Amino acid sequence: MYKRKQVQKSYLTLTKVLYALLPVLLVGNVAFAQHVVTGTIRDSKGQALPGATIIVRGTKSATVADADGNFRISVSVEPPFFLRATFVGQKPQDFQVLRFENTPVQLTLVEDDLLEEIVVTARRRSEIAQEVPIPITVIGGQAAENAGAFNVNRLKELVPSVQLYASNARNTTLNIRGLGSTFGLTNDGIDPGVGFYVDGVYHARPAATSTDFIDIEQIEVVRGPQGTLFGKNTTAGAFNITTRKPSFIPSSKAELSFGNYNFIQAKATITGPIAKDLAAKISLSGTQRDGTIWNPVEERKYSGQNNLGLKGQLLYAPSDELEILLSGDASFQHPAGYPLVVAGITTTERSAYRQYAEIVSGATGLGYQLPKINPFSREIYTNTPWRQNQSIGGISLNIDRKIGNGTLTSTTAWRFWNWDPTNDRDFTEFSALTKSQGNSRHDQYSQEIRYAGNITSKLSGVVGVFVLGQNLQGLDQTEEVGSDQWRFVQTSNTGDQARYSTPGLLDNFGIKTNSTIKSLSAAVFAQADWEFINHLHILPGIRFTYDKKDVDYDRQTYGGLQTTDPVLLKLKGDVYKNQAFNTSTDNNNLSGNLTLAYRPLDKFNAFATYSTAYKPVGVNVGGLPTTSTGEADLSVAVVKPEYVQHYELGIKSKPIAGALLNVTAFNTDIKDYQTNVQSPQLGVNRGYLANAEKVRVKGLEVDGSYQLQKFLTLNAAVAYLDGKYEKFTNAPLPLEETGHTEVIDGVSTQVAFKDASGGRLPGISKWNISGGAEVSTAGNLISKSGRFFIAADVSYRSDYSSNPTPSKVLVVDAYSLLNGRLGFRSDKFSIFVWGRNITDTNYFEQLQAAAGNSGLYAGVLGDPRTYGATLRLGF
């Protein structure tokens, strides 16, 4: 309680400090004034527009209308000049001022179109979304916040084609259309196939998706390969997130939310000029929530939230031709862990002696009771504390220089990631696999230079170069077993195997791994847009990429019984053994795309695309499986690159006034698909990477929206996905088939792999549906004019496989989620109540087998019902 009060006090103090800075910014804004223009701004019905923004075009002079629509603005240029007036729901308009007058000017704005034209930068220049021949979903920052999506994990409920599964920040799978990253435990040696960009900066680690959004302008989810437009290869798509830039108009805003589970979230932003042509912005965000999972053993709650994020920016804009943006951000997360709950026990094909029930509580077992199988009681009984401490951030410098009919952009960035976890990977109170700590440190340096613009009235394009250097270190990454582990690895109680019960043999026996992956990725890319016939465009794109990775891997054992007995040493070595290797690998690739787009009307845009892409070579740094002689299998240290062929047909349309309807059909073929394999060997607990020979994902996406004046807003999206292994002849056995034997050359032989060709890919629901509605009406609250609203959104995902090889038990059942909100909003003031998972649906986000594949499996639980209230203020 004391800690929570201190956090609340800190948030309130911070907000007061930020607001105290506002007068300083206001003074800075008028320091360069030479003339003052006064006036009034109203709508077409004569109603005042309080909070409307008025800017002197070509300068940084700006102001905001008061409660009666009156304004005063400092002008440092001589007439004639233009005043630019904007207000939410009204069309932005320019008003020419021919001379300075003693009488106030009268400005009138007319209501905006019913359907807002959304501007995107997916092709590295500002364009209207419906005119871009790319399937893209755009979510405004305010819309995301209203829906309670303050990070990417919550955003997935709004975009059916997005799949995000995470057991913690490090073990995050971010996919679009089921492709992008390996499903399950993360292996640091593989690159993501979904690009994640914030303000033009590529974020290499999937953990970046777990941080809270800070002052987001909008989020663009681009589907399909986009390697000819974005710096890093994107075989499945990209998230292009834009934050609001510093403004020369002084302003500040604050938000405070409270909810059940002692949820509290505070956000604050302040921006304004600090010198001529120089503006600044500071944004902060903090989130606290108690855990939703109880551990009676420790008397402690887990799966809570403890996030703090901050971002600072300086914008230098001496003219309309040059803009320099310096940004720095950092996020810190120290939650009370994200444990998995025991989800079930299944029978494998191993002998009766090696079944989980016999190991734990049978006549030859450890003498425990079987774990409680009631996952939705939200209780765990682990005996190792869970911890997922993370810090992530960086600095970037973005320079935009207008040259001719385009813009030359340079983006330079450095980013870091520190990861400090502790996990109990036997998921029980037994002392089996007691500790799993994948401590990591990551640094990345990136440089992108590109030119985007119009060459002629019929020809435009993008050309650029991109370089990314990474240094990813595993620092004393630890796996440790305890006094109960002997029974899980013992195959019989006769012969040498009987000596596994030697007291202390495996007590605190483990491995510490130190690894380094130094990687370099460099690319040259270009794409053109040529209207070679009226309304018919051809868009060729090309990309050349070079990738190099150098790996140093060293794993050393420690602990356990210190002995010289060769039998006992061999038994210990069968559990963990030293491994070390060095390898260097590189490859290059030429890929591209070709799009035909036909846009005869503003209300219709049809396109067809063929593209190729690739994901670079991977390396295994999670432990290698062993050969029949017990040595590390170095043949799987390097994983072949993925090669993608992609076909797409799409239509974007405005069928009636106020409506959008978009349809996309696609087919993606992947050769040498990089997948994660969970081995039954304990020494590769994190799994290792392998290649499936051929994978295919095909599907259909339909999304639309409708707006009836300001009264009613509807949106819906449906994605049908069919993803399967076309050929995967060496797939790992699913959990329930572990121990499977086949007759080979007349001998009954235990096998570890199977032919999974035709099986479905993990993490892909065949049907993904989302929809939302909002009804609002004009009104007043506490002398504030605005709109009262009620809104709801629903999402549905059909069942999906939660294992690299299709499994009968590791299948996540279909589920639906309902969210809602009710309240009042205006331009500078909003208050509303909200609820997420209102029906309190019990559901898993992921299932995974416990290490060793003895029959136990655990799950990642989705959040229970949460509810609360939010207050927003703008100044």
Side-chain angles (χ1 to χ4, degrees), residues 414-551:
W414 164 74
R415 296 200 62 78
F416 71 89
W417 174 57
N418 295 317
W419 178 244
D420 176 26
T422 296
N423 305 285
D424 189 330
R425 279 293 172 182
D426 57 42
F427 310 120
T428 66
E429 56 188 316
F430 316 146
S431 294
L433 182 54
T434 58
K435 190 180 295 184
S436 177
Q437 299 176 191
N439 307 68
S440 299
R441 165 77 192 195
H442 175 259
D443 291 275
Q444 70 170 73
Y445 304 85
S446 63
Q447 175 66 58
E448 182 172 352
I449 299 175
R450 68 178 181 275
Y451 181 81
N454 299 317
I455 302 171
T456 69
S457 61
K458 299 288 187 180
L459 180 64
S460 62
V462 177
V463 61
V465 296
F466 175 78
V467 179
L468 173 69
Q470 299 183 69
N471 184 15
L472 179 58
Q473 300 176 74
L475 304 174
D476 278 341
Q477 294 186 339
T478 302
E479 290 180 18
E480 184 178 297
V481 299
S483 57
D484 296 326
Q485 184 61 35
W486 68 270
R487 184 59 183 84
F488 285 88
V489 297
Q490 188 181 52
T491 58
S492 70
N493 57 3
T494 60
D496 288 348
Q497 285 291 308
R499 300 191 64 186
Y500 258 125
S501 61
T502 301
L505 180 65
L506 299 182
D507 290 10
N508 305 117
F509 180 51
I511 49 176
K512 288 187 180 294
T513 302
N514 287 279
S515 63
T516 301
I517 304 175
K518 293 184 177 180
S519 61
L520 172 68
S521 180
V524 180
F525 57 90
Q527 181 165 303
D529 184 337
W530 177 33
E531 189 179 6
F532 68 102
I533 299 176
N534 198 25
H535 305 306
L536 187 60
H537 296 242
I538 184 171
L539 296 90
I542 192 169
R543 177 190 183 91
F544 176 78
T545 306
Y546 171 78
D547 286 285
K548 186 176 189 298
K549 292 184 179 180
D550 297 311
V551 181

Side-chain angles (χ1 to χ4, degrees), residues 606-609 646-651 663-667 700-701:
F607 57 92
T609 297
H646 178 77
Y647 308 85
E648 193 162 77
L649 294 172
I651 294 174
V663 181
T664 307
F666 67 91
N667 184 92
L700 180 70
E701 299 165 333

Side-chain angles (χ1 to χ4, degrees), residues 311-331:
K311 184 165 187 172
Q313 293 179 301
L314 288 173
L315 175 64
Y316 178 61
S319 69
D320 290 341
E321 285 72 38
L322 177 63
E323 185 176 280
I324 300 175
L325 181 66
L326 177 65
S327 302
D329 69 277
S331 293

Side-chain angles (χ1 to χ4, degrees), residues 545-656:
T545 306
Y546 171 78
D547 286 285
K548 186 176 189 298
K549 292 184 179 180
D550 297 311
V551 181
D552 183 6
Y553 181 87
D554 181 56
R555 189 180 87 179
Q556 300 295 321
T557 60
Y558 69 90
L561 182 66
Q562 300 304 301
T563 178
T564 58
D565 188 324
V567 174
L568 296 181
L569 289 176
K570 182 181 183 305
L571 292 176
K572 288 178 66 177
D574 288 342
V575 178
Y576 287 130
K577 182 175 290 187
N578 295 344
Q579 286 188 6
F581 65 90
N582 291 277
T583 188
S584 180
T585 183
D586 65 350
N587 58 285
N588 54 66
N589 174 260
L590 183 66
S591 57
N593 61 40
L594 183 65
T595 297
L596 284 175
Y598 182 56
R599 194 170 68 243
L601 302 169
D602 290 340
K603 297 181 179 181
F604 184 83
N605 182 11
F607 57 92
T609 297
Y610 168 73
S611 60
T612 61
Y614 107 117
K615 191 198 293 186
V617 63
V619 289
N620 272 307
V621 288
L624 298 178
T626 56
T627 63
S628 57
T629 62
E631 300 301 317
D633 186 357
L634 297 180
S635 68
V636 296
V638 176
V639 185
K640 292 184 286 187
E642 284 184 2
Y643 294 97
V644 177
Q645 287 192 342
H646 178 77
Y647 308 85
E648 193 162 77
L649 294 172
I651 294 174
K652 296 184 174 184
S653 66
K654 300 178 182 179
I656 59 175

Side-chain angles (χ1 to χ4, degrees), residues 757-838:
S757 302
R760 63 173 170 169
L761 290 178
I764 298 182
S765 295
K766 184 160 288 188
W767 291 100
N768 303 268
I769 303 171
S770 69
E774 179 179 294
V775 177
S776 68
T777 184
N780 295 299
L781 181 65
I782 318 176
S783 75
K784 297 286 186 180
S785 60
R787 300 190 71 82
F788 291 94
F789 68 91
I790 181 171
D793 57 79
V794 63
S795 62
Y796 167 80
R797 292 186 184 273
S798 61
D799 64 13
Y800 54 88
S801 169
S802 190
N803 195 60
T805 304
S807 167
K808 294 178 181 178
V809 296
L810 299 181
V811 174
V812 174
D813 292 334
Y815 63 88
S816 299
L817 299 177
L818 174 64
N819 307 321
R821 52 202 176 275
L822 168 68
F824 172 86
R825 65 168 174 262
S826 66
D827 190 41
K828 298 293 184 179
F829 171 79
S830 297
I831 184 169
F832 58 94
V833 295
W834 47 264
R836 294 182 57 82
N837 188 10
I838 293 173

Side-chain angles (χ1 to χ4, degrees), residues 60 245 248 277-278 315-325 397-403 406-410:
K60 305 303 177 295
K245 293 180 180 179
F248 288 91
D277 303 326
L278 185 65
L315 175 64
Y316 178 61
S319 69
D320 290 341
E321 285 72 38
L322 177 63
E323 185 176 280
I324 300 175
L325 181 66
L397 179 66
N398 195 85
I399 303 174
D400 287 315
R401 174 71 182 184
K402 291 184 179 179
I403 300 177
T407 300
L408 180 66
T409 299
S410 170

Side-chain angles (χ1 to χ4, degrees), residues 124 151-153 155 164 174 176 192-211 213 216 219-220 230 232-234 237-241 392 415 444:
R124 295 319 203 195
N151 57 32
V152 176
N153 192 26
L155 189 69
L164 189 145
L174 176 60
I176 295 177
V194 174
F196 192 79
Y197 295 84
V198 179
D199 292 334
V201 177
Y202 175 73
H203 292 215
R205 303 313 306 164
T209 62
S210 68
T211 60
F213 294 146
I216 294 295
I219 303 157
E220 302 169 19
F230 288 85
K232 192 70 170 66
N233 346 316
T234 58
F239 275 72
N240 185 30
I241 299 176
I392 188 168
R415 296 200 62 78
Q444 70 170 73

